[in-house]
Amino acid sequence: MSKRRGLSLEEKREHMLQIFYESQDFFLLKELEKLGPKKGVISQSVKDVVQSLVDDDLVLKDKIGTSVYFWSLPSCAGNQLRNAHNKLESDLSSCTKRLAELDEQKESLKRGREESDDREMALEELKTIELQNKKLKEELALFADNDPAAIEAMKTAIEIAHSASNRWTDNIFTLQHWCSSNFPEAKEQLEHMYKEVGITEDLDYL
């Protein structure tokens, strides 16, 4: 004897809806969990099944005091289906209108682009010009290093770097003079420190 197949989710939903439609009453969840097995829905599944019905607006729920009540009338399902039908009708109308607009736009774009010898020649000429433009851009890129604007920018950068280098050299000389004046007894240690950080006797302005 084959094992009995369990109810699918849709079947469980239909059976739970029958409880509401037959009684047209209000229920607590614990009451539904007791009634569910009578319709073939195990009590452990009742909560999830009822929640799915609530999510689809087939069952309504409301909190009264500390208790949450569930109910549904045959008219609820009818209203829900009517609302869905109206929405689909509206979406279909919008899509139909948009399709007509796109068809009109397509036909408008076609005008003046009919296949002809002149059009083919113009397209070939456009392709040739685009290839020439690409080639010229590639050649221009080879001379980017000789661009007057780039050279001028490089000269400006060199001048700024030159000025900054001499400014820091002057700062180093000023610091050396201050150290020599304030710590004459540490002359050897200072000279050793200068060499360690790369300050030699050859240091001079650029």
Side-chain angles (χ1 to χ4, degrees), residues 72-91:
S72 180
L73 303 174
S75 58
C76 292
N79 290 335
Q80 198 263 354
L81 290 174
R82 277 190 292 274
N83 292 336
H85 178 268
N86 292 336
K87 184 178 184 306
L88 291 174
E89 287 285 356
S90 177
D91 291 345

Side-chain angles (χ1 to χ4, degrees), residues 188-200:
E188 291 185 3
Q189 291 92 328
L190 288 171
E191 290 180 351
H192 180 69
M193 182 189 70
Y194 297 152
K195 290 180 180 179
E196 283 187 343
V197 297
I199 301 175
T200 66

Side-chain angles (χ1 to χ4, degrees), residues 112-130:
R113 300 186 182 186
E114 295 82 1
E115 294 296 332
S116 66
D117 293 339
D118 290 341
R119 175 175 167 76
E120 289 297 326
M121 290 176 61
L123 290 174
E124 286 296 327
E125 183 178 355
L126 176 61
K127 184 177 180 180
T128 301
I129 292 173
E130 288 177 341

Side-chain angles (χ1 to χ4, degrees), residues 134-151:
K134 181 181 178 182
K135 183 178 179 181
L136 289 173
K137 285 184 177 180
E138 291 174 350
E139 291 179 358
L140 184 61
L142 297 176
F143 297 99
D145 293 339
N146 297 321
D147 183 3
I151 292 175

Side-chain angles (χ1 to χ4, degrees), residues 12 15-16 19-20 26-51 68 70:
K12 291 177 182 179
H15 290 190
M16 291 306 299
I19 296 175
F20 291 104
F26 297 83
F27 298 94
L28 295 169
L29 180 59
K30 61 182 181 180
E31 293 173 334
L32 293 171
E33 289 175 340
K34 292 179 180 179
L35 294 172
K38 297 179 180 180
K39 291 290 186 179
V41 182
I42 60 175
S43 58
Q44 292 87 341
S45 299
V46 169
K47 182 178 179 180
D48 292 337
V49 174
V50 171
Q51 184 58 50
V68 178
F70 299 85

